Amino acid sequence: MTDAPYPRSADGARGALVPVVVPVAGADAELVAVGERYWALAGFHPELGTAVWCEKTAQIDTCGWGRQVHAVAAAGVRALVEGVACATCGEPLSLTSRSAFQQLLDGQEQACVECSEFLQAAVKLVLSPARREKRERQRAAESAQRVVSEARSRWYQQQSEAVAAAYPAELPSGERELPVCGVREMLGALALLRYAPASDRIRSVGSWPVPLHPDPDDIADVLAALVRASLIAVHPSTPAHAMVWAPASFEVAVHEAGGDLDGLPPPRLTHGFCPTLAHYFAPVGLDGHLATALTPAGMTADGQSEVVAVAHELLTAEGLRYFAHRLEQVRLPPVPDHHVTRLRAAMGKAAEYRPLGEIYNLVWRATRAAAEAAQKNPQATRVNLSTHALNQFEGHVQRAVDEPDWEIRPFQEVLGFGLAAMTRTLFSDVLDMPPLETGLAEVAERLPGAGRRTPAQGVHPAPAQAGAGEGPLAQLLVRLSTTGSWHPEEVLDALERIKQAQSDGDWFDGRIVAREAGRLLALHRRLAPAVGSRNAVLAVLGATDMLLHPISVGAEQTASGRWIAAELCAVLVPDISPFEPL
């Protein structure tokens, strides 16, 4: 009950009408308690003279006996007014409701509970066996739900304790040596530290307003690489849903235990976690260590080459991100999946020869042409218009490559569409160069020792000559590495065609070949950011020698990798027959 705002008064005629609450014989204790709360009178308003109750009707819990509080109260107690008779039967008056009491105060005669047919019917409904059974079932369900809820809470608490035990909050010393890792990992860690919204711990990286990496799909890979390199560590406050558990969830544990909540297997951490949902922390002083390690003047030639490769990766990803943004702006769907390889290849070529501001311009031209085509041809399929934008962009890129003197007005940073944290950190902090106006060639030229080194995407130094005992594939790789007459995009397109053509074809072993082609494409995607597209293609071609699944080509037996290599060589070196064994 709440404190009475006005003192109880027994003076005058109103005081004589204060009801006396008497329990009904044999009534349930809960009904009696509801009735006592319902008829708890705090006093009378000093000016209006109206009754003031300790609790509002809406605040009284009927414990599942019914929604009409006055009927539930009548089933448990009688509020008798001494010296006042019922207007119907002449017996002592028992009040039917608070409203009836107020009317009595106003001088109106009232009927008792026994003489009110409607109230008697409502009380009978409250006390009906069917209502009692329903209430008992509801209470049993609520009790079972409480048991499950308590078991779930214990399970979650065990998960939190397991995370805290597996990932203690012990900050490594800032004086330790920097772990051996690549430029990409160090750059990602530096960007993570400088763009984190809070300084105590790094959390919810996947939902930052400024993305860590231009490609959303690569953010998790970057974070996982930083953890593997020991540049950052998982914070013990990481939520349980960011981890991979065995059993996978509370529901799975209940199923494995056969519904026995007391015999649930404890949650066990596996080695997997969701990098974009986890919380992280870094050792004190890591920012300074990384800034020093990323100083171009102190890098080796390989390190500087990796800077160029990372710059190419980020510029390409920024261009792809802007292309997707522009398609969304003009209300067109994304480029179809089977054309994504073409888009990536075109964007990679553009990033190799032009700065990002000019790439923005080319993307804007291509998407504007697609938007104009959509207005002129409303009946055209929307996805075909996105492909049209890709076709336009490929044409612009080819012209930009073929005509180095073609002046393209560079765009400035797009309002509301800023650069990713890694891109801005690399160009503004590490290279001290404007990111939208700096091309890949300028990055390579500005690095110390540029005259003794070549950029990762340009002409490569000649490797050691293949020995006489090496096979034709090794000799072909040497030949390709020393000439610039071929384009990586041709190999990627050929692999994509093999993957698409053989997956649904009539050739029995076609699906094997299609699967292997898909694996080679995935290998290229992983290697290209680090070693450049051309080197990645050479690695892919060399990896075909390790694909040994037997397939039948007509009456001949060969390995799947040998067949794929022959197809790729037919593209790169047309004078080799597609079925000529290597």
Side-chain angles (χ1 to χ4, degrees):
M1 300 181 184
T2 58
D3 294 337
Y6 307 106
R8 182 184 295 274
S9 175
D11 297 336
R14 295 189 184 89
L17 298 178
V18 174
V20 177
V21 180
V22 179
V24 174
D28 190 283
E30 287 185 348
L31 294 175
V32 175
V34 172
E36 290 176 346
R37 293 175 64 184
Y38 181 77
W39 290 111
L41 182 66
F44 299 95
H45 196 283
E47 298 178 0
L48 302 177
T50 56
V52 178
W53 304 96
C54 292
E55 292 181 274
K56 294 181 179 180
T57 302
Q59 296 175 337
I60 300 176
D61 182 12
T62 61
C63 302
W65 287 91
R67 296 183 180 179
Q68 294 180 309
V69 183
H70 73 288
V72 176
V77 300
R78 291 291 184 268
L80 301 177
V81 181
E82 297 179 353
V84 180
C86 172
T88 302
C89 65
E91 295 294 328
L93 178 64
S94 57
L95 295 171
T96 57
S97 66
R98 290 179 175 181
S99 298
F101 178 63
Q102 186 59 49
Q103 293 171 1
L104 181 65
L105 294 178
D106 294 339
Q108 301 180 25
E109 295 182 343
Q110 298 296 316
C112 66
V113 173
E114 284 71 16
C115 295
S116 175
E117 295 181 2
F118 292 104
L119 183 55
Q120 285 295 319
V123 171
K124 184 177 180 180
L125 183 61
V126 170
L127 299 175
S128 66
R131 178 69 65 86
R132 180 184 296 273
E133 292 178 2
K134 179 180 179 181
R135 185 174 61 257
E136 290 177 354
R137 289 195 303 268
Q138 181 179 356
R139 288 181 177 179
E142 291 176 353
S143 177
Q145 184 62 36
R146 282 195 300 271
V147 172
V148 173
S149 179
E150 291 172 358
R152 190 191 304 273
S153 298
R154 290 194 300 270
W155 170 273
Y156 290 160
Q157 180 63 30
Q158 291 175 350
Q159 286 184 320
S160 299
E161 293 173 355
V163 173
Y167 302 99
E170 297 178 357
L171 288 172
S173 171
E175 301 301 324
R176 66 169 187 159
E177 293 184 1
L178 195 66
V180 178
C181 55
V183 170
R184 188 172 188 263
E185 287 76 16
M186 291 191 291
L187 179 67
L190 186 61
L192 194 70
L193 295 175
R194 296 191 174 182
Y195 286 86
S199 58
D200 57 341
R201 52 187 166 179
I202 304 166
R203 67 184 78 183
S204 304
V205 182
S207 59
W208 281 5
V210 177
L212 177 64
H213 191 281
D215 188 347
D217 295 335
D218 279 349
I219 294 178
D221 293 338
V222 172
L223 293 172
L226 299 186
V227 173
R228 288 193 297 267
S230 300
L231 291 172
I232 60 175
V234 177
H235 196 277
S237 67
T238 295
H241 64 266
M243 297 295 179
V244 180
W245 298 90
S249 65
F250 174 75
E251 290 73 19
V252 174
V254 173
H255 178 73
E256 292 181 358
D260 182 10
L261 297 179
D262 294 330
L264 294 180
R268 292 181 294 101
L269 276 171
T270 66
H271 296 293
F273 69 100
C274 181
T276 56
L277 298 178
H279 297 175
Y280 305 97
F281 67 97
V284 177
L286 179 61
D287 187 297
H289 283 293
L290 293 172
T292 302
L294 287 172
T295 303
M299 292 183 180
T300 63
D302 290 340
Q304 293 178 2
S305 296
E306 191 175 351
V307 168
V308 179
V310 172
H312 182 260
E313 172 197 347
L314 295 175
L315 291 176
T316 301
E318 290 286 2
L320 293 171
R321 177 169 167 249
Y322 184 63
F323 196 99
H325 173 70
R326 279 290 300 165
L327 287 180
E328 184 178 355
Q329 274 191 329
V330 298
R331 302 179 183 276
L332 290 178
V335 172
D337 292 342
H338 59 282
H339 288 317
V340 169
T341 302
R342 288 176 51 202
L343 176 59
R344 289 182 177 275
M347 195 65 69
K349 183 186 293 186
E352 186 175 349
Y353 291 94
R354 295 284 182 162
L356 185 58
E358 295 184 13
I359 295 175
Y360 278 3
N361 187 314
L362 299 182
V363 170
W364 186 85
R365 295 186 187 194
T367 52
R368 182 188 64 175
E372 292 175 350
Q375 292 181 345
K376 294 178 181 178
N377 304 282
Q379 73 282 359
T381 306
R382 310 295 289 180
V383 69
N384 290 344
L385 294 172
S386 299
T387 304
H388 176 65
L390 170 58
N391 296 337
Q392 292 289 316
F393 179 68
E394 285 180 323
H396 294 329
V397 170
Q398 192 59 49
R399 182 186 174 189
V401 172
D402 295 340
E403 302 178 17
D405 296 333
W406 180 29
E407 294 186 3
I408 304 174
R409 182 177 64 85
F411 280 17
Q412 298 303 313
E413 188 165 341
V414 180
L415 182 64
F417 190 78
L419 299 175
M422 288 181 64
T423 308
R424 197 178 298 277
T425 301
L426 173 63
F427 284 91
S428 299
D429 299 344
V430 176
L431 299 175
D432 193 20
M433 303 173 75
L436 290 169
E437 303 170 10
T438 304
L440 204 62
E442 294 174 292
V443 171
E445 292 173 2
R446 286 281 297 273
L447 290 174
R452 302 186 302 273
R453 191 183 41 79
T454 55
Q457 299 297 321
V459 179
H460 298 275
Q465 296 296 322
E470 296 183 353
L473 180 58
Q475 297 176 17
L476 178 62
L477 290 175
V478 172
R479 174 182 170 185
L480 293 176
S481 65
T482 56
T483 178
S485 60
W486 59 279
H487 299 286
E489 295 80 13
E490 297 174 349
V491 177
L492 301 178
D493 291 343
L495 282 174
E496 191 66 40
R497 287 196 300 271
I498 294 172
K499 177 183 175 183
Q500 297 295 331
Q502 303 302 335
S503 58
D504 299 324
D506 297 331
W507 185 22
F508 180 79
D509 293 328
R511 293 188 178 181
I512 297 174
V513 173
R515 184 179 67 239
E516 306 285 29
R519 291 175 176 174
L520 293 174
L521 286 170
L523 175 63
H524 180 272
R525 285 195 297 270
R526 295 192 181 109
L527 292 178
V531 301
S533 183
R534 295 177 66 88
N535 282 338
V537 165
L538 294 177
V540 164
L541 188 56
T544 60
D545 206 30
M546 295 184 289
L547 304 177
L548 304 177
H549 198 292
I551 61 174
S552 299
V553 183
E556 300 292 332
Q557 292 285 332
T558 186
S560 58
R562 184 176 293 271
W563 187 90
I564 294 175
E567 291 290 317
L568 298 181
C569 291
V571 174
L572 293 172
V573 188
D575 55 324
I576 295 180
S577 169
F579 300 103
E580 181 179 344
L582 292 174

